[in-house]
mmCIF file of all heavy atoms in Angstrom:
data_model
loop_
_atom_site.group_PDB
_atom_site.id
_atom_site.type_symbol
_atom_site.label_atom_id
_atom_site.label_comp_id
_atom_site.label_asym_id
_atom_site.label_seq_id
_atom_site.Cartn_x
_atom_site.Cartn_y
_atom_site.Cartn_z
ATOM 1 N N LEU K 1 -26.867 224.642 69.973
ATOM 2 C CA LEU K 1 -26.954 223.140 70.012
ATOM 3 C C LEU K 1 -27.920 222.597 71.084
ATOM 4 O O LEU K 1 -28.684 221.661 70.928
ATOM 5 C CB LEU K 1 -25.599 222.573 70.128
ATOM 6 C CG LEU K 1 -25.389 221.093 69.903
ATOM 7 C CD1 LEU K 1 -25.819 220.667 68.478
ATOM 8 C CD2 LEU K 1 -23.983 220.708 70.072
ATOM 9 N N LEU K 2 -27.769 223.253 72.338
ATOM 10 C CA LEU K 2 -28.536 222.751 73.441
ATOM 11 C C LEU K 2 -29.996 222.647 73.320
ATOM 12 O O LEU K 2 -30.665 221.722 73.732
ATOM 13 C CB LEU K 2 -28.056 223.343 74.746
ATOM 14 C CG LEU K 2 -26.691 222.815 75.316
ATOM 15 C CD1 LEU K 2 -26.238 223.741 76.418
ATOM 16 C CD2 LEU K 2 -26.817 221.469 75.736
ATOM 17 N N PRO K 3 -30.665 223.716 72.784
ATOM 18 C CA PRO K 3 -32.040 223.614 72.603
ATOM 19 C C PRO K 3 -32.530 222.506 71.686
ATOM 20 O O PRO K 3 -33.568 221.833 71.819
ATOM 21 C CB PRO K 3 -32.498 224.926 72.006
ATOM 22 C CG PRO K 3 -31.476 225.848 72.536
ATOM 23 C CD PRO K 3 -30.199 225.050 72.492
ATOM 24 N N LEU K 4 -31.759 222.196 70.673
ATOM 25 C CA LEU K 4 -31.944 220.990 69.736
ATOM 26 C C LEU K 4 -31.858 219.744 70.459
ATOM 27 O O LEU K 4 -32.754 218.814 70.275
ATOM 28 C CB LEU K 4 -31.019 221.096 68.634
ATOM 29 C CG LEU K 4 -31.001 222.298 67.695
ATOM 30 C CD1 LEU K 4 -29.843 222.324 66.704
ATOM 31 C CD2 LEU K 4 -32.307 222.490 67.066
ATOM 32 N N ILE K 5 -30.959 219.613 71.372
ATOM 33 C CA ILE K 5 -30.803 218.406 72.199
ATOM 34 C C ILE K 5 -32.003 218.242 73.143
ATOM 35 O O ILE K 5 -32.574 217.159 73.297
ATOM 36 C CB ILE K 5 -29.490 218.488 72.996
ATOM 37 C CG1 ILE K 5 -28.316 218.270 72.026
ATOM 38 C CG2 ILE K 5 -29.413 217.444 74.121
ATOM 39 C CD1 ILE K 5 -26.908 218.600 72.600
ATOM 40 N N LEU K 6 -32.421 219.312 73.785
ATOM 41 C CA LEU K 6 -33.596 219.358 74.624
ATOM 42 C C LEU K 6 -34.831 218.931 73.854
ATOM 43 O O LEU K 6 -35.601 218.125 74.356
ATOM 44 C CB LEU K 6 -33.742 220.702 75.303
ATOM 45 C CG LEU K 6 -32.751 220.999 76.434
ATOM 46 C CD1 LEU K 6 -32.853 222.459 76.788
ATOM 47 C CD2 LEU K 6 -32.923 220.080 77.607
ATOM 48 N N SER K 7 -34.963 219.355 72.623
ATOM 49 C CA SER K 7 -36.065 218.931 71.873
ATOM 50 C C SER K 7 -36.061 217.498 71.509
ATOM 51 O O SER K 7 -37.059 216.688 71.497
ATOM 52 C CB SER K 7 -36.137 219.750 70.519
ATOM 53 O OG SER K 7 -36.457 221.156 70.782
ATOM 54 N N ALA K 8 -34.849 216.945 71.156
ATOM 55 C CA ALA K 8 -34.658 215.527 70.854
ATOM 56 C C ALA K 8 -35.026 214.671 72.092
ATOM 57 O O ALA K 8 -35.694 213.652 71.988
ATOM 58 C CB ALA K 8 -33.196 215.259 70.509
ATOM 59 N N PHE K 9 -34.629 215.101 73.320
ATOM 60 C CA PHE K 9 -34.959 214.367 74.538
ATOM 61 C C PHE K 9 -36.443 214.328 74.719
ATOM 62 O O PHE K 9 -37.046 213.317 75.017
ATOM 63 C CB PHE K 9 -34.276 214.966 75.788
ATOM 64 C CG PHE K 9 -32.817 214.618 75.989
ATOM 65 C CD1 PHE K 9 -31.945 215.519 76.496
ATOM 66 C CD2 PHE K 9 -32.323 213.443 75.595
ATOM 67 C CE1 PHE K 9 -30.629 215.173 76.733
ATOM 68 C CE2 PHE K 9 -31.056 213.057 75.794
ATOM 69 C CZ PHE K 9 -30.143 213.955 76.315
ATOM 70 N N GLU K 10 -37.103 215.524 74.478
ATOM 71 C CA GLU K 10 -38.569 215.600 74.630
ATOM 72 C C GLU K 10 -39.236 214.651 73.559
ATOM 73 O O GLU K 10 -40.201 213.934 73.880
ATOM 74 C CB GLU K 10 -38.994 217.014 74.477
ATOM 75 C CG GLU K 10 -40.467 217.285 74.752
ATOM 76 C CD GLU K 10 -40.805 218.770 74.625
ATOM 77 O OE1 GLU K 10 -40.019 219.562 75.087
ATOM 78 O OE2 GLU K 10 -41.878 219.042 73.954
ATOM 79 N N ARG K 11 -38.820 214.705 72.307
ATOM 80 C CA ARG K 11 -39.375 213.914 71.252
ATOM 81 C C ARG K 11 -39.212 212.449 71.657
ATOM 82 O O ARG K 11 -40.129 211.619 71.543
ATOM 83 C CB ARG K 11 -38.690 214.235 69.995
ATOM 84 C CG ARG K 11 -39.200 213.351 68.794
ATOM 85 C CD ARG K 11 -38.312 213.453 67.600
ATOM 86 N NE ARG K 11 -37.014 212.783 67.941
ATOM 87 C CZ ARG K 11 -35.808 213.398 67.745
ATOM 88 N NH1 ARG K 11 -35.749 214.539 67.220
ATOM 89 N NH2 ARG K 11 -34.786 212.833 68.089
ATOM 90 N N ASP K 12 -38.045 211.980 72.096
ATOM 91 C CA ASP K 12 -37.720 210.643 72.384
ATOM 92 C C ASP K 12 -38.568 210.178 73.562
ATOM 93 O O ASP K 12 -39.029 209.005 73.618
ATOM 94 C CB ASP K 12 -36.163 210.479 72.657
ATOM 95 C CG ASP K 12 -35.411 210.648 71.386
ATOM 96 O OD1 ASP K 12 -35.958 210.730 70.309
ATOM 97 O OD2 ASP K 12 -34.118 210.683 71.589
ATOM 98 N N ALA K 13 -38.769 211.050 74.536
ATOM 99 C CA ALA K 13 -39.647 210.686 75.691
ATOM 100 C C ALA K 13 -41.047 210.371 75.199
ATOM 101 O O ALA K 13 -41.644 209.410 75.756
ATOM 102 C CB ALA K 13 -39.624 211.876 76.775
ATOM 103 N N GLY K 14 -41.516 211.211 74.312
ATOM 104 C CA GLY K 14 -42.850 210.887 73.796
ATOM 105 C C GLY K 14 -42.956 209.611 73.098
ATOM 106 O O GLY K 14 -43.898 208.749 73.261
ATOM 107 N N LEU K 15 -41.967 209.251 72.346
ATOM 108 C CA LEU K 15 -41.946 207.959 71.595
ATOM 109 C C LEU K 15 -41.809 206.772 72.615
ATOM 110 O O LEU K 15 -42.517 205.758 72.430
ATOM 111 C CB LEU K 15 -40.711 207.890 70.585
ATOM 112 C CG LEU K 15 -40.847 208.820 69.414
ATOM 113 C CD1 LEU K 15 -39.546 208.888 68.662
ATOM 114 C CD2 LEU K 15 -42.052 208.394 68.561
ATOM 115 N N ILE K 16 -40.970 206.954 73.637
ATOM 116 C CA ILE K 16 -40.836 205.886 74.598
ATOM 117 C C ILE K 16 -42.098 205.665 75.359
ATOM 118 O O ILE K 16 -42.520 204.554 75.581
ATOM 119 C CB ILE K 16 -39.601 206.233 75.558
ATOM 120 C CG1 ILE K 16 -38.336 206.033 74.796
ATOM 121 C CG2 ILE K 16 -39.626 205.390 76.794
ATOM 122 C CD1 ILE K 16 -37.100 206.544 75.564
ATOM 123 N N SER K 17 -42.798 206.755 75.730
ATOM 124 C CA SER K 17 -43.973 206.686 76.420
ATOM 125 C C SER K 17 -45.057 205.918 75.539
ATOM 126 O O SER K 17 -45.891 205.166 76.129
ATOM 127 C CB SER K 17 -44.654 208.024 76.814
ATOM 128 O OG SER K 17 -43.818 208.678 77.755
ATOM 129 N N ALA K 18 -45.147 206.183 74.371
ATOM 130 C CA ALA K 18 -46.147 205.610 73.476
ATOM 131 C C ALA K 18 -45.890 204.144 73.131
ATOM 132 O O ALA K 18 -46.801 203.383 72.913
ATOM 133 C CB ALA K 18 -46.242 206.434 72.228
ATOM 134 N N HIS K 19 -44.597 203.792 73.179
ATOM 135 C CA HIS K 19 -44.276 202.384 72.559
ATOM 136 C C HIS K 19 -43.726 201.358 73.539
ATOM 137 O O HIS K 19 -43.509 200.227 73.073
ATOM 138 C CB HIS K 19 -43.327 202.568 71.357
ATOM 139 C CG HIS K 19 -43.967 203.257 70.203
ATOM 140 N ND1 HIS K 19 -43.858 204.623 70.020
ATOM 141 C CD2 HIS K 19 -44.762 202.854 69.223
ATOM 142 C CE1 HIS K 19 -44.600 204.976 68.962
ATOM 143 N NE2 HIS K 19 -45.133 203.949 68.499
ATOM 144 N N LEU K 20 -43.418 201.752 74.774
ATOM 145 C CA LEU K 20 -42.857 200.758 75.730
ATOM 146 C C LEU K 20 -43.861 200.516 76.823
ATOM 147 O O LEU K 20 -44.660 201.314 77.202
ATOM 148 C CB LEU K 20 -41.536 201.299 76.382
ATOM 149 C CG LEU K 20 -40.360 201.576 75.477
ATOM 150 C CD1 LEU K 20 -39.107 201.955 76.206
ATOM 151 C CD2 LEU K 20 -39.930 200.271 74.579
ATOM 152 N N ARG K 21 -43.732 199.265 77.212
ATOM 153 C CA ARG K 21 -44.686 198.786 78.339
ATOM 154 C C ARG K 21 -44.334 199.437 79.616
ATOM 155 O O ARG K 21 -45.094 199.719 80.520
ATOM 156 C CB ARG K 21 -44.736 197.241 78.401
ATOM 157 C CG ARG K 21 -45.522 196.647 77.366
ATOM 158 C CD ARG K 21 -45.671 195.170 77.597
ATOM 159 N NE ARG K 21 -46.863 194.679 77.175
ATOM 160 C CZ ARG K 21 -47.123 193.402 77.183
ATOM 161 N NH1 ARG K 21 -46.375 192.556 77.703
ATOM 162 N NH2 ARG K 21 -48.318 193.042 76.684
ATOM 163 N N THR K 22 -43.024 199.475 79.870
ATOM 164 C CA THR K 22 -42.538 200.140 81.167
ATOM 165 C C THR K 22 -41.689 201.302 80.875
ATOM 166 O O THR K 22 -40.382 201.124 80.933
ATOM 167 C CB THR K 22 -41.792 199.059 81.928
ATOM 168 O OG1 THR K 22 -40.800 198.482 81.205
ATOM 169 C CG2 THR K 22 -42.769 197.964 82.476
ATOM 170 N N PRO K 23 -42.162 202.377 80.472
ATOM 171 C CA PRO K 23 -41.321 203.547 80.037
ATOM 172 C C PRO K 23 -40.686 204.262 81.256
ATOM 173 O O PRO K 23 -39.720 205.015 81.055
ATOM 174 C CB PRO K 23 -42.341 204.428 79.362
ATOM 175 C CG PRO K 23 -43.671 204.146 79.952
ATOM 176 C CD PRO K 23 -43.621 202.703 80.330
ATOM 177 N N ALA K 24 -41.212 204.146 82.524
ATOM 178 C CA ALA K 24 -40.778 204.940 83.630
ATOM 179 C C ALA K 24 -39.254 204.978 83.791
ATOM 180 O O ALA K 24 -38.646 206.194 83.872
ATOM 181 C CB ALA K 24 -41.477 204.561 84.907
ATOM 182 N N PRO K 25 -38.497 203.967 83.780
ATOM 183 C CA PRO K 25 -37.009 203.994 83.993
ATOM 184 C C PRO K 25 -36.399 204.793 82.918
ATOM 185 O O PRO K 25 -35.443 205.632 83.207
ATOM 186 C CB PRO K 25 -36.532 202.633 84.086
ATOM 187 C CG PRO K 25 -37.787 201.721 84.174
ATOM 188 C CD PRO K 25 -38.937 202.521 83.690
ATOM 189 N N TYR K 26 -36.893 204.655 81.718
ATOM 190 C CA TYR K 26 -36.193 205.294 80.589
ATOM 191 C C TYR K 26 -36.539 206.816 80.593
ATOM 192 O O TYR K 26 -35.704 207.655 80.340
ATOM 193 C CB TYR K 26 -36.671 204.745 79.248
ATOM 194 C CG TYR K 26 -36.336 203.289 79.177
ATOM 195 C CD1 TYR K 26 -37.345 202.376 79.393
ATOM 196 C CD2 TYR K 26 -35.121 202.791 78.773
ATOM 197 C CE1 TYR K 26 -37.099 200.922 79.349
ATOM 198 C CE2 TYR K 26 -34.758 201.446 78.743
ATOM 199 C CZ TYR K 26 -35.806 200.505 79.045
ATOM 200 O OH TYR K 26 -35.505 199.265 78.965
ATOM 201 N N LEU K 27 -37.770 207.107 80.966
ATOM 202 C CA LEU K 27 -38.269 208.526 81.063
ATOM 203 C C LEU K 27 -37.455 209.255 82.233
ATOM 204 O O LEU K 27 -37.127 210.296 82.084
ATOM 205 C CB LEU K 27 -39.723 208.556 81.282
ATOM 206 C CG LEU K 27 -40.575 208.119 80.136
ATOM 207 C CD1 LEU K 27 -42.036 208.204 80.507
ATOM 208 C CD2 LEU K 27 -40.296 208.972 78.891
ATOM 209 N N ASP K 28 -37.188 208.534 83.288
ATOM 210 C CA ASP K 28 -36.438 209.067 84.369
ATOM 211 C C ASP K 28 -34.999 209.443 83.984
ATOM 212 O O ASP K 28 -34.531 210.523 84.242
ATOM 213 C CB ASP K 28 -36.310 208.127 85.568
ATOM 214 C CG ASP K 28 -37.628 207.962 86.304
ATOM 215 O OD1 ASP K 28 -38.553 208.730 86.148
ATOM 216 O OD2 ASP K 28 -37.722 206.935 87.169
ATOM 217 N N MET K 29 -34.440 208.594 83.140
ATOM 218 C CA MET K 29 -33.106 208.879 82.622
ATOM 219 C C MET K 29 -33.104 210.055 81.668
ATOM 220 O O MET K 29 -32.243 210.933 81.712
ATOM 221 C CB MET K 29 -32.531 207.625 81.923
ATOM 222 C CG MET K 29 -31.132 207.592 81.637
ATOM 223 S SD MET K 29 -30.542 206.074 81.177
ATOM 224 C CE MET K 29 -28.855 206.241 81.560
#
């Protein structure tokens, strides 16, 4: 399960970076 979760966090970080104006706080989390 954990590698799947890590992949989801990585995918979500990419989406947040691409679509938010201020992604830094979310990416830090």
Side-chain angles (χ1 to χ4, degrees):
L1 191 60
L2 280 171
L4 300 173
I5 291 168
L6 288 167
S7 293
F9 282 146
E10 187 176 318
R11 180 197 63 232
D12 293 349
L15 291 170
I16 287 170
S17 288
H19 293 96
L20 294 183
R21 282 187 149 174
T22 53
Y26 303 100
L27 293 175
D28 288 348
M29 191 167 205

